[in-house]
Amino acid sequence: MASRPRQQRHASSFSPLGERRSSPRVTTSLTWSVMSGQRGWHWHVPLQKNNPTEYQRRVFGTSSAICLMMQRSPRPFVASVYGLAAAAGCQLVASCDVVVAADTAKFSVPGTKVGLFCCTPGVPLTRAVPSKVAMEMLFTGRAISAQEALRSGLVSLVVPSDKLEEETEHVVQSIISNSAAVLALGKQYIYSQMGATPSAAFEQGTVTMVCNLAHPDAQEGIAAFKEKRAPKWTTPKGK
């Protein structure tokens, strides 16, 4: 994905696609992760036919493993997107829990334009947006605007480009003001019930909420609400 080239809080970086124009950056703590980068990544060089098949498999496999890790992680992942999120960039965006996009952002899975269907990017994309939207993007390679992405459900909110960092920070602070333990429990449940029938999802949801009520943070939250004060979670904010 792409973001305005400003200095943000960057604790670490990773390279899911081998050669790239600039590294995505991930800021992490116990409770949250923010993903951003300066420009898009490209597959053209590492995936040329003169590269070994095993290397190509590793390129795709690594990016896929990262997306699975993001879903399975107890921490929320927030994407901050400024420019074009293409191919694996779009794959990462679709895998994030929350996506804040500048009004300048665009999203595409353009592999068909170079004879390479975006199969792995299509996995989270088809789970994030309606199938007809995903298939049009995958078949044509057309880049959709931030507003189109918002309407289709690929992004959570669209903000003016000069407010992207500020609005992303606001979203992060809103998330980390809550209990890390409860966020982790809720995220695990929400993803696990997506493939279930409604009856099974409701049944598991009931079990999960009963377990949640027994957690000290739930008791603290209820007490704080009654006493009209801020709750003191078992995991301090931002840790």
Side-chain angles (χ1 to χ4, degrees):
M1 68 205 76
S3 176
R4 176 184 292 273
R6 291 179 179 176
Q7 290 299 318
Q8 292 180 272
R9 300 159 302 172
H10 307 304
S12 62
S13 66
F14 59 82
S15 170
L17 297 178
E19 182 170 336
R20 62 211 186 278
R21 291 195 181 100
S22 67
S23 300
R25 291 187 290 270
V26 184
T27 302
T28 64
S29 75
L30 182 63
T31 57
W32 56 277
S33 297
V34 177
M35 305 186 65
S36 66
Q38 292 183 359
R39 294 183 294 276
W41 307 304
H42 59 105
W43 287 355
H44 302 164
V45 174
L47 298 186
Q48 288 176 351
K49 65 179 181 180
N50 58 328
N51 283 312
T53 300
E54 184 55 36
Y55 174 76
Q56 295 170 343
R57 184 185 297 275
R58 182 160 52 87
V59 169
F60 291 124
T62 301
S63 62
S64 299
I66 290 168
C67 292
L68 289 172
M69 175 276 294
M70 290 161 59
Q71 181 175 320
R72 294 167 181 167
S73 171
R75 65 165 61 94
F77 278 77
V78 178
S80 181
V81 189
Y82 179 79
L84 175 64
C90 192
Q91 178 178 337
L92 286 169
V93 168
S95 299
C96 283
D97 303 304
V98 179
V99 180
V100 184
D103 52 14
T104 53
K106 292 184 178 181
F107 306 85
S108 72
V109 276
T112 50
K113 291 183 177 296
V114 296
L116 180 66
F117 198 86
C118 286
C119 296
T120 49
V123 174
L125 181 65
T126 54
R127 287 160 171 76
V129 306
S131 61
K132 298 296 188 293
V133 175
M135 296 308 284
E136 190 270 342
M137 291 177 66
L138 287 162
F139 287 164
T140 68
R142 180 179 71 89
I144 64 172
S145 68
Q147 288 297 337
E148 287 179 280
L150 178 64
R151 290 194 296 271
S152 68
L154 182 58
V155 307
S156 309
L157 65 157
V158 176
V159 301
S161 58
D162 61 346
K163 298 288 186 182
L164 178 61
E165 189 171 342
E166 176 185 336
E167 293 298 330
T168 302
E169 176 68 18
H170 176 73
V171 169
V172 169
Q173 291 301 322
S174 296
I175 292 172
I176 67 173
S177 66
N178 299 310
S179 162
V182 173
L183 287 172
L185 179 149
K187 178 177 175 177
Q188 180 183 38
Y189 165 71
I190 289 298
Y191 280 114
S192 68
Q193 62 83 40
M194 284 182 175
T197 63
S199 59
F202 277 123
E203 181 178 356
Q204 186 57 39
T206 298
V207 172
T208 303
M209 291 193 75
V210 170
C211 292
N212 191 166
L213 278 171
H215 193 279
D217 279 355
Q219 297 303 310
E220 165 61 13
I222 293 169
F225 177 78
K226 290 179 178 179
E227 297 166 14
K228 296 181 170 46
R229 59 174 175 81
K232 297 179 181 179
W233 306 124
T234 53
T235 303
K237 179 179 177 181
K239 295 295 185 181

